[in-house]
Amino acid sequence: MRNKKLIPFEVIEKAVAGEPEAVNAVLQHYSPRIKYLSKYRGHINDDIQDRLKAQLIKAILQFSFDR
């Protein structure tokens, strides 16, 4: 049985390899959480949101399955 809340492993592999569509899929998956974390005084702060997205992309591209 597959958990619908998880990103498929194939998408993660492609994102780590740098495939733009897969990276975008991961960003879309975490979009609600990023919006929640970027709220400041009741409003979404675009600077915080952009920084969180950049940090996620950086983490995706630096990830190694060899651990």
Side-chain angles (χ1 to χ4, degrees):
M1 193 159 86
R2 188 169 168 211
N3 188 342
K4 293 183 180 185
K5 292 183 180 181
L6 298 177
I7 301 171
F9 183 72
E10 297 81 22
V11 175
I12 294 171
E13 284 182 315
K14 290 177 183 178
V16 169
E19 197 168 307
E21 295 86 18
V23 173
N24 191 38
V26 174
L27 285 173
Q28 290 300 318
H29 177 80
Y30 285 106
S31 180
R33 182 73 175 156
I34 289 171
K35 285 182 181 179
Y36 172 79
L37 292 172
S38 65
K39 284 188 179 177
Y40 179 73
R41 295 185 179 177
H43 301 318
I44 294 176
N45 184 317
D46 291 331
D47 293 333
I48 295 173
Q49 188 173 5
D50 291 342
R51 183 176 170 110
L52 289 172
K53 286 180 182 180
Q55 287 178 332
L56 178 57
I57 292 169
K58 181 180 175 186
I60 290 168
L61 298 176
Q62 290 180 343
F63 185 79
S64 174
F65 289 105
D66 298 336
R67 295 181 192 187

